[in-house]
Amino acid sequence: MGAVVLEGVEKSFDGIKVCSQIDLSINKGEFFTFLGPSGCGKTTLLRLIAGFITPQSGAVFIDGNEVTKLPPEKRKVGMVFQNYSLFPYLTVGQNIEYGLTIQKKSARERQKIVELYMDMVGLSGFGGRKVTELSGGEQQRVALARSLAVEPEVLLLDEPLSNLDARLRDKMRSEIKSLQKRLGITTIFVTHDQTEALTLSDRIAVFDKGRVVQVGTPKEIYDTPGNVFVAGFVGDTNLFRVTRSGNTIRLESGIKLNIPSTSGPGNWLSIRPQNIRISAKPIHEPNSFQGRLLEKQLNGVWIDSIIEVGSTVLRVAELNTFEMKGELQPGDNVWVTLPENGLRLLED
Ligand code: ADP
Ligand code: MG
């Protein structure tokens, strides 16, 4: 049995279903991410696992034991809340010590553990500081140390990076990952940010409106999205409604494309911007069309282009290498190829 198992978990507030039939099994030591847009029930599910709320139906297991109705302190979980929820009137040391007092550890033991975890998150010597005097990043570290100090079986992190500025976010992201690997602790990480999910996770569950729509490794989720929602939410893509006959599909604009004979069913076409090829000269290959460059934007590593083919608008991304001559300008004619292998049919 997984380290955390959810079986048919359902939660409603005031008759409105927020989590629907959630079945998940998270392995011991795994870095597992709940990814989805705001309001899709991620925090609610995390609180159900922590024990702050109970489901109307279904069961929660931690380490093989059913904990559905147990209070948080009996579940061996540590949680970092989105707003950190530190005690403002306590020092850094006292915040980290808090859970240990509940565990009835001796003063000496508590002191040792507090030092250990302050050191682990890079806050040695901060014990006597007031948490209100700390920066956002430092508060984040206190919250992390506080949740780890009780030595939980499972670490729950609710959007822990969302209040930090971009540079600090990148730094904390890699620190959290290396700490998690070092401790080998089963971790559930909640985010609405696809980059965080793709870079940190062993596996991801993608949520849409209170349901899990796909579970997989970052590569599986990105390369083989299970439906049109996942394709659009994880990574950029071009999406078009299509009708199919045999190995040909037709976009609403009239464009016809050959698709691989192995294509699954679906009335949506997804093609990632980096899978479309651009040329300043005519291309004589299948799935190639003449179009017009509408916009071009340099993003550093990438050059993003908007190209119009008839009434179809395509977003294209090219790697910005030294070989790029930048000869194409908005208004120019261009030729695009949508290679068969880059085309994916998806269902709603
Ligand atoms: P997420 O974390 O994915 O943004 P939440 O789990 O916080 O989503 O919320 C999902 C939905 O449940 C939202 O519509 C939210 O307003 C609602 N909700 C969450 N907690 C409560 C509550 N205690 N009472 C009523 N509605 C709630
Ligand atoms: Mg939330």
Side-chain angles (χ1 to χ4, degrees):
M1 195 179 211
V4 178
V5 173
L6 305 174
E7 279 180 6
V9 169
E10 299 240 340
K11 182 69 184 175
S12 304
F13 292 112
D14 311 319
I16 298 167
K17 208 169 266 185
V18 172
C19 297
S20 298
Q21 280 299 320
I22 308 286
D23 292 305
L24 284 173
S25 179
I26 294 148
N27 301 321
K28 200 166 176 58
E30 193 169 30
F31 197 113
F32 194 95
T33 296
F34 295 170
L35 171 66
S38 177
C40 69
K42 307 181 296 294
T43 296
T44 301
L45 195 57
L46 215 57
R47 294 175 69 219
L48 282 163
I49 296 169
F52 297 111
I53 49 175
T54 49
Q56 272 93 10
S57 59
V60 180
F61 299 85
I62 294 176
D63 235 3
N65 302 310
E66 180 167 3
V67 297
T68 318
K69 299 216 159 64
L70 287 186
E73 62 274 15
K74 298 234 165 89
R75 292 196 181 197
K76 300 186 199 150
V77 296
M79 180 152 170
V80 173
F81 298 87
Q82 188 165 6
N83 58 5
Y84 313 144
S85 300
L86 297 175
F87 304 113
Y89 48 89
L90 298 182
T91 63
V92 169
Q94 288 165 336
N95 263 280
I96 299 173
E97 196 180 350
Y98 183 78
L100 303 171
T101 319
I102 294 176
Q103 286 182 343
K104 300 205 170 61
K105 292 233 187 320
S106 72
R108 265 188 70 158
E109 268 181 298
R110 295 201 306 261
Q111 192 53 33
K112 244 177 81 182
I113 297 171
V114 168
E115 297 287 337
L116 173 72
Y117 285 95
M118 279 201 298
D119 186 43
M120 200 176 282
V121 299
L123 285 180
S124 288
F126 276 64
R129 294 268 284 272
K130 282 190 184 158
V131 291
T132 47
E133 291 167 358
L134 303 180
S135 69
E138 288 161 350
Q139 291 186 11
Q140 225 287 304
R141 289 164 199 263
V142 178
L144 192 59
R146 181 179 64 179
S147 64
L148 287 171
V150 296
E151 307 203 316
E153 293 288 335
V154 182
L155 180 62
L156 306 175
L157 303 171
D158 193 359
E159 311 236 11
L161 308 177
S162 61
N163 294 330
L164 307 177
D165 63 61
R167 197 170 284 269
L168 193 55
R169 196 156 56 222
D170 289 349
K171 185 163 185 279
M172 285 305 294
R173 190 164 76 194
S174 51
E175 282 186 20
I176 285 178
K177 178 79 177 180
S178 69
L179 193 61
Q180 190 270 341
K181 281 284 162 259
R182 191 145 52 92
L183 297 174
I185 186 168
T186 309
T187 300
I188 303 178
F189 182 92
V190 162
T191 185
H192 64 273
D193 183 306
Q194 42 150 327
T195 310
E196 279 177 16
L198 291 172
T199 53
L200 283 170
S201 316
D202 294 317
R203 282 191 303 154
I204 300 170
V206 185
F207 285 73
D208 182 22
K209 300 189 201 85
R211 290 181 183 279
V212 175
V213 286
Q214 190 173 3
V215 179
T217 63
K219 188 169 165 54
E220 285 164 353
I221 299 280
Y222 187 83
D223 289 348
T224 52
N227 69 11
V228 70
F229 171 81
V230 177
F233 191 73
V234 185
D236 283 333
T237 197
N238 294 280
L239 289 171
F240 303 100
R241 273 198 168 278
V242 295
T243 47
R244 176 176 184 174
S245 61
N247 292 335
T248 308
I249 53 169
R250 187 173 184 278
L251 277 59
E252 283 173 333
S253 64
I255 286 180
K256 284 187 182 156
L257 294 165
N258 302 329
I259 53 168
S261 53
T262 51
S263 294
N267 52 352
W268 288 92
L269 167 69
S270 165
I271 180 163
R272 302 277 188 200
Q274 69 272 27
N275 288 332
I276 300 177
R277 289 204 297 269
I278 308 183
S279 166
K281 300 189 191 81
I283 310 175
H284 305 285
E285 280 177 40
N287 293 353
S288 297
F289 306 91
Q290 183 178 356
R292 202 164 60 91
L293 183 64
L294 295 183
E295 281 176 45
K296 188 169 154 180
Q297 194 174 55
L298 173 65
N299 274 343
V301 177
W302 295 98
I303 296 174
D304 296 317
S305 300
I306 307 283
I307 291 167
E308 188 181 52
V309 176
S311 63
T312 297
V313 174
L314 295 167
R315 286 184 301 125
V316 183
E318 292 171 285
L319 209 48
N320 181 27
T321 67
F322 66 91
E323 288 169 323
M324 293 293 288
K325 296 184 202 73
E327 73 252 49
L328 285 169
Q329 295 306 324
D332 287 353
N333 284 329
V334 293
W335 280 262
V336 291
T337 305
L338 286 68
E340 254 185 46
N341 289 338
L343 305 179
R344 182 161 293 280
L345 287 192
L346 296 167
E347 294 183 287
D348 281 313

